[in-house]
Structure formats: C-alpha cells, structure tokens
Amino acid sequence: MTFSIAGRCAKTGAFGVAITTSSIAVGARCPHARAGVGAVATQNVTDPDLGPMLLDQMEYGLSARDAIKAVVKDRPFIDYRQLTAVDAEGRAASWSGKHILGTHGVSEQRDCVAAGNLLKHSTLPHVMTIAFAATAGQHLAERLLHALEAGLLSGGEEGPVHSAALIVHHEQAFPLVSLRVDWDDENPVMALRRLWDAYKPQMGAYLQRALDPTAAPSYGVPGDP
C-alpha cells in the first residue's frame, strides 16, 4: 500500500521524506521532518500522531532507534504500524508490526531508511537505499525523489499508486520543500517529478522572500514591476 524513504544530507544537515501509496493524499498523513532533528515516515495503517511523537523524542536527545522503542512501548494498535526514522547523526531505525499488510520490507542504511508494504517484492526498499546512496552530492530532494522513482521502476506496489509527496526541512521551522500529488490516476510519482523540476529553480527565491523580502527577486507575476 505504501513505500517511502526518509533521509539526511550529511553535508547540509537537511532532512526529508519521499513517499507514495495507493491511497489518497499520502502527504497529509505520513511524511514528517524537523530541522536539526530528523525525518520520519508513518505508514501501513497510519497513525499520524506517531510522526511528531518520534521527532519530539529525537529532539529530546534519543537516537532514532531509542525514539522508536519509546514510542511503540504500550502504544495501542502498534502492530498495525510501520515506522521509519533518521536522526541528527544519520542513524536509521524502523518498526514493522505483526499486522503489516502483504509483502513488506525495510532497508536501514547510513543517512537513510526505506520501507514498504503490499510490495511486489521485499527487496524493493534495498533498491531505494542503493539509489539514494548513488546520488550523493545532489540536493536531498533530488536524492529522495530519485530513490522513490527507483522503487517504482523495480516493481512498486501490488497495485497502482495514486498519491505521492516530497518534503525537505533544513534550517527553518517551515519546510524548504513541501510538494504533494494528492491524487493521480496515471502516475503520481511522475507528477511529483514535474512539480520538483518546476519548483527547484524557484526554491531559493521563495526562501529569500521569507527571510528578507527586500533582498528577494521579483515575484514574476502579472503586475509585478
């Protein structure tokens, strides 16, 4: 039903998640990140509360693995959840409960973790982390999206995916990148790629407008001098 990758850029310290699923609006529920803290994906039968809870635990100083241990302990219905996390040191961890749907798998690597359920094959997450590692030096959003595309090309889910999302948090409390395809009958990952390709050259301008509008470029809209 879902596959995702959470990652950290070791050079810049940015965190992010790329994710796709057969359900609607995956970006509203599943990807979470926080500047200086980490990145988290909550999936399978999703409990969105677990994302902020995991980030809070890592902000308190716990590693990704210890944060997951703390959150899953005595949590109702935790066996229906699949969780991944990357912390500020690039350590990855995951949780897959007893009731994860269909063929599922996880790949924990340095600076990234991929996971999925209802997959065509259990090695798909490993394909994604290999793709992430192969793009070292590129922008984190590009690396995450490239890994998601690799997962789709290697088989993806048992059925078609319909929504996708890409987030990156860097130095501010607000996201540097937050792109969503809430529903697409054809290929939401391809639609997400088009969004990223359009947003990438404007990303710096939008950030500058938030930090100092007087130093930002023109808005490029009708009526803007």
Side-chain angles (χ1 to χ4, degrees), residues 7-214:
R8 166 184 175 263
C9 176
K11 181 179 180 180
T12 66
F15 294 96
V17 179
I19 188 167
T20 189
T21 189
S22 57
S23 302
I24 194 169
V26 67
R29 301 181 302 277
C30 298
H32 307 264
R34 189 175 297 169
V37 177
V40 170
T42 72
Q43 55 198 50
N44 194 62
V45 181
T46 306
D47 178 357
D49 280 342
L50 294 172
M53 290 171 64
L54 279 169
L55 291 170
D56 286 345
Q57 292 295 327
M58 290 192 289
E59 191 162 14
Y60 296 153
L62 294 186
S63 67
R65 194 163 307 281
D66 288 342
I68 287 180
K69 287 180 180 179
V71 165
V72 303
K73 184 180 180 182
D74 301 324
R75 181 75 177 176
F77 309 113
I78 196 64
D79 280 329
Y80 291 87
R81 319 304 184 187
Q82 190 175 47
L83 308 172
T84 62
V86 177
D87 64 29
E89 300 299 321
R91 297 167 294 195
S94 63
W95 164 269
S96 294
K98 296 177 183 178
H99 300 309
I100 303 302
L101 297 168
T103 299
H104 55 275
V106 174
S107 177
E108 299 176 10
Q109 305 296 331
R110 182 70 182 173
D111 289 325
C112 69
V113 53
N117 51 81
L118 280 178
L119 301 173
K120 286 285 184 66
H121 59 87
S122 62
T123 58
L124 183 146
H126 185 59
V127 171
M128 296 174 70
T129 55
I130 289 175
F132 182 85
T135 54
Q138 297 187 40
H139 193 277
L140 180 60
E142 178 63 41
R143 301 180 67 191
L144 293 167
L145 183 53
H146 177 73
L148 195 68
E149 292 169 329
L152 188 63
L153 287 172
S154 72
E157 299 185 19
E158 285 286 353
V161 292
H162 291 298
S163 66
L166 174 65
I167 64 169
V168 172
H169 286 240
H170 189 201
E171 296 177 338
Q172 285 73 39
F174 59 84
L176 177 64
V177 179
S178 182
L179 303 175
R180 286 169 47 174
V181 178
D182 283 344
W183 186 266
D184 190 292
D185 285 322
E186 300 298 326
N187 189 331
V189 176
M190 184 181 296
L192 188 64
R193 162 60 69 183
R194 290 194 296 268
L195 279 176
W196 166 241
D197 287 345
Y199 183 72
K200 182 179 179 180
Q202 305 179 67
M203 179 173 58
Y206 278 109
L207 177 60
Q208 186 61 59
R209 289 165 190 156
L211 300 180
D212 182 1
T214 65

